[in-house]
Amino acid sequence: MTGTETPVSATPVYASAEVPLPTSGRILLSNRVLVRISGPGTDKFLQGQLSQDLGDVKTGFSPRAAGATPKGRAYCLTRLVRDGDDVLMDLPSELAEATMAHLRKYMMLFRGTTMTEHTGGRITGLLGTDAASRLAGEQLNSLEAAGDTLALDCGLLIRTENTADGVSRYELWQASASDVDLGNIPEKTLSDWQASEIAAGVPMLSTASSEAYVPQMLNWQHLGGVHFKKGCYTGQEIIARMHFLGQLKKSLFRFRIAEASSLPAPGTSIMAGERSVGEIVNAVGFTDGSCELLAVIRHDAANSELLAEGLPQAVLEQRPLPYSVTEREGSEPKDT
């Protein structure tokens, strides 16, 4: 961030997620759009632009991926889903147009390959197993790990990461939105889903964070989104060097602020005394006046007393993630 103004959300903390986080519910994820890539060059095109090996994107498994600039900075965090010969991906609504415009610059090399937004498609987030079990029945047992995918008549059911408290989560991707009978499964808010994403350690890019971080700084490798053994793709040299030479000096942490007068916006600096040691990536407020956030923080400052800029009384309390970040524990990174 530059300048003297601190970005602070106008949304009051009390207008957000439930406390405690719901363990059963369905949420229309209106902040994300579905995109379809079709044509004979689909896999080659995506293989050259994204951090995932397209050979691992197959029926039954839908891994995460990142798109990066030549300097290795992530402008796209997505999931890749095989749908026949096509590939579906999701994008944040606020970045979708710019991301698709950027990717189309490279698509011109692949004649007959197209990228289109599913204006009638939708993604529904499912908290707990109640809704997912109603959709899939006994087949739900086949979705054992994050990324496991089941094709249903109503769409594609994808297991996503549990929260740190062990709440199971799923997503239903529908290229053509159609109502599904979920009985009395309660409808929850987008803030409830965002709170579950933060509790699962899953970041989402915004205009404030696009092209700001190498994917590893967002823990994307620990969410299965970076394949370090695939061939070349845009940004691969920087991303691979950071991995193999152990050069990661900052990564994504989860924090809680017990009482916040306002909700800090993405891009807000995290301060250790007078020094800026990181920035907020995502934040959500709760009905009890607290908030949780994901922030990229320098490893050497993570145990300091940290404050969000503009909230001088709001000390950040570090909260657990559901996965281990080996790079900040002094361990050698593992190849995937």
Side-chain angles (χ1 to χ4, degrees):
M1 284 296 295
T2 59
T4 58
E5 295 186 0
T6 300
V8 177
S9 172
T11 303
V13 173
Y14 59 77
S16 297
E18 293 182 16
V19 177
L21 184 68
T23 57
S24 179
R26 52 176 169 168
I27 303 101
L28 177 62
L29 305 185
S30 57
N31 61 336
R32 288 158 58 184
V33 300
L34 282 178
V35 175
R36 180 179 295 273
I37 299 91
S38 306
T42 293
D43 281 27
K44 287 185 178 180
F45 161 63
L46 294 174
Q47 185 78 353
Q49 294 304 317
L50 301 181
S51 61
Q52 190 56 255
D53 190 331
L54 268 289
D56 290 342
V57 182
K58 51 195 174 185
T59 302
F61 186 64
S62 307
R64 296 187 183 274
T69 67
K71 293 183 178 180
R73 301 286 169 154
Y75 65 85
C76 169
L77 299 178
T78 187
R79 187 184 293 280
L80 302 177
V81 180
R82 186 71 65 178
D83 186 23
D85 294 330
D86 302 344
V87 171
L88 299 175
M89 60 190 291
D90 66 313
L91 296 172
S93 299
E94 68 177 281
L95 296 178
E97 185 176 348
T99 300
M100 293 173 68
H102 175 82
L103 286 170
R104 284 193 178 111
K105 296 177 185 177
Y106 300 92
M107 185 178 285
M108 293 187 295
L109 301 173
F110 300 89
R111 183 172 297 178
T113 301
T114 61
M115 174 184 293
T116 55
E117 179 183 338
H118 273 297
T119 54
R122 68 184 176 194
I123 302 175
T124 304
L126 306 175
L127 293 173
T129 58
D130 293 344
S133 180
R134 187 176 180 90
L135 290 173
E138 293 184 359
Q139 294 183 85
L140 188 65
N141 294 329
S142 66
L143 304 185
E144 298 179 348
D148 287 350
T149 302
L150 184 63
L152 303 172
D153 291 340
C154 60
L156 294 158
L157 184 64
I158 304 168
R159 179 77 182 261
T160 187
E161 292 78 9
N162 291 354
T163 69
D165 293 327
V167 176
S168 300
R169 304 187 315 135
Y170 303 82
E171 292 180 1
L172 177 64
W173 288 32
Q174 297 175 284
S176 298
S178 58
D179 291 335
V180 293
D181 181 12
L182 291 177
N184 60 355
I185 303 300
E187 291 188 22
K188 298 299 179 179
T189 68
L190 192 57
S191 293
D192 291 320
W193 184 260
Q194 185 181 5
S196 80
E197 290 277 83
I198 289 174
V202 180
M204 175 180 279
L205 292 179
S206 65
T207 53
S209 53
S210 180
E211 299 187 24
Y213 305 108
V214 174
Q216 291 101 305
M217 296 178 186
L218 298 164
N219 297 356
W220 210 241
Q221 74 280 27
H222 298 298
L223 295 166
V226 184
H227 195 296
F228 291 107
K229 293 183 178 180
K230 67 168 284 186
C232 294
Y233 59 93
T234 302
Q236 183 262 349
E237 183 178 355
I238 304 297
I239 293 169
R241 182 187 304 136
M242 179 169 286
H243 173 73
F244 290 111
L245 298 183
Q247 296 177 336
L248 189 66
K249 304 301 182 185
K250 59 175 73 172
S251 60
L252 195 73
F253 290 77
R254 176 187 171 207
F255 295 100
R256 178 178 182 269
I257 298 176
E259 295 184 13
S261 58
S262 57
L263 183 63
T268 299
S269 291
I270 300 298
M271 309 299 295
E274 298 297 318
R275 182 170 68 124
S276 176
V277 296
E279 304 82 32
I280 292 175
V281 178
N282 303 119
V284 65
F286 291 87
T287 53
D288 65 354
S290 67
C291 75
E292 284 202 6
L293 56 94
L294 295 175
V296 173
I297 302 292
R298 291 183 56 89
H299 295 167
D300 60 9
N303 294 321
S304 305
E305 181 176 282
L306 302 176
L307 301 169
E309 188 177 17
L311 298 173
Q313 306 302 318
V315 177
L316 275 61
E317 307 166 10
Q318 195 171 147
R319 300 280 287 152
L321 292 169
Y323 51 81
S324 175
V325 183
T326 55
E327 295 88 345
R328 63 189 185 219
E329 298 170 355
S331 304
E332 289 294 326
K334 297 178 182 180
D335 293 347
T336 58

